[in-house]
Amino acid sequence: MNITIQNAEATVTCRTHGAELLSYKTFAGKEYMWQKDPAYWAKTSPILFPYIGAVPETVTIHGTDYAIPRHGFVKDVEFDVAEQGDDYVVLSTGTSDFTKPIYPYDFRFTVTFRLKDSALEVTYGVSNLGNEEMPFLIGGHPAFFCPMEDGEQFTDYMLRFEDENIPDLHLQYPMFDNDAILYENLIHRTVKLISSKTEKGIQFDFPGYESVAFWTPIKKDAPFLCIEPWCGGTMDQVSCTDMLKKKYVQFLDGGKARDYVFRFQPC
């Protein structure tokens, strides 16, 4: 089921399957989210939980192997609508007969989409419903059109960081030939994806995350870029499938809850 929220400045559509964000349009009707095309990538914004990255066979947790799929399983489950208003919606899922054999913890996972003026704030809420400490990795994977305007090229765009010691990254397809590019240890967790000609695009803030990755499909010259806030793993840890050895792995005590927030808006 698709759900639409809106205010005076923007309209957002998500779906209950995987709580996937499908669309962000300005009041004038301009679309910023990649609109699925299997020729490039048949997704728009999958959620990464409780694992990030490829899984050759299984994921190990405290010495036991579990068949957690690539990028986790939340992206594949149906969510319930827990709460909804004109400009926000809260979707919820949790432990089930499907999750228990592949992730041995009792949990609740919520996704809140909330419009605040022109900004869309996305909150992933994790609750540990059990008594033992719960490890997990978590991240977002939203894809944005790049280029964003007719007559522009992918290579017209750049990533601009607020940290003074990090130069602008001018996009070229070959820089993604080895998969995603990851930045960590940022002081200011804000990045802009903007045209080098007009300096217009989007601003993306990820205060709830330890690192951020950028990805477009390898050697497809795809017209989009994913901005992926992560808590869990680095690019040199792809072959490591022991969850507890992943950099930035999160731990949540029994009965506790934690929110992970990112937001974006046109700039």
Side-chain angles (χ1 to χ4, degrees), residues 54-218:
V55 182
E57 294 182 3
T58 56
V59 174
T60 302
I61 306 175
H62 292 300
T64 301
D65 295 335
Y66 297 95
I68 300 177
R70 177 186 177 92
H71 288 331
F73 52 72
V74 160
K75 61 184 176 10
D76 302 314
V77 302
E78 189 71 16
F79 281 68
D80 296 320
V81 179
E83 190 176 344
Q84 185 175 0
D86 291 341
D87 58 0
Y88 77 97
V89 63
V90 182
L91 305 178
S92 175
T93 190
T95 310
S96 68
D97 291 341
F98 166 68
T99 69
K100 199 68 173 180
I102 58 177
Y103 185 63
Y105 299 97
D106 291 321
F107 69 95
R108 181 171 183 257
F109 191 96
T110 61
V111 180
T112 302
F113 297 104
R114 187 181 300 273
L115 279 165
K116 295 183 176 181
D117 298 324
S118 65
L120 176 63
E121 184 175 272
V122 181
T123 303
Y124 298 158
V126 184
S127 299
N128 182 354
L129 304 183
N131 296 318
E132 61 182 319
E133 183 181 68
M134 184 175 79
F136 58 91
L137 313 182
I138 188 169
H141 204 310
F144 300 95
F145 277 120
C146 185
M148 298 179 188
E149 302 289 348
D150 292 339
E152 295 180 334
Q153 305 295 322
F154 183 87
T155 51
D156 292 332
Y157 279 73
M158 62 183 177
L159 295 167
R160 174 167 291 170
F161 300 86
E162 290 197 352
D163 287 27
E164 294 181 357
N165 63 322
I166 300 180
D168 295 342
L169 181 66
H170 293 266
L171 299 182
Q172 301 285 337
Y173 284 117
M175 65 178 54
F176 298 96
D177 282 354
N178 294 318
D179 211 346
I181 298 171
L182 183 72
Y183 284 76
E184 52 185 327
N185 301 317
L186 295 173
I187 297 172
H188 303 288
R189 296 178 185 178
T190 294
V191 63
K192 291 181 179 178
L193 172 61
I194 55 175
S195 166
S196 58
K197 296 179 178 179
T198 65
E199 298 207 347
K200 292 184 178 180
I202 62 161
Q203 176 174 315
F204 191 96
D205 303 291
F206 49 104
Y209 294 87
E210 299 290 344
S211 61
V212 62
F214 304 96
W215 177 83
T216 193
I218 296 173

Side-chain angles (χ1 to χ4, degrees), residues 201-251:
I202 62 161
Q203 176 174 315
F204 191 96
D205 303 291
F206 49 104
Y209 294 87
E210 299 290 344
S211 61
V212 62
F214 304 96
W215 177 83
T216 193
I218 296 173
K219 296 182 179 179
K220 286 191 175 181
D221 292 0
F224 68 87
L225 184 75
C226 292
I227 302 178
E228 306 178 37
W230 286 2
C231 285
T234 50
M235 296 313 297
D236 60 343
Q237 287 191 308
V238 172
S239 61
C240 172
T241 55
D242 185 334
M243 183 181 287
L244 304 188
K245 293 182 179 179
K246 288 286 191 177
K247 193 171 184 180
Y248 307 128
V249 60
Q250 303 292 286
F251 294 95

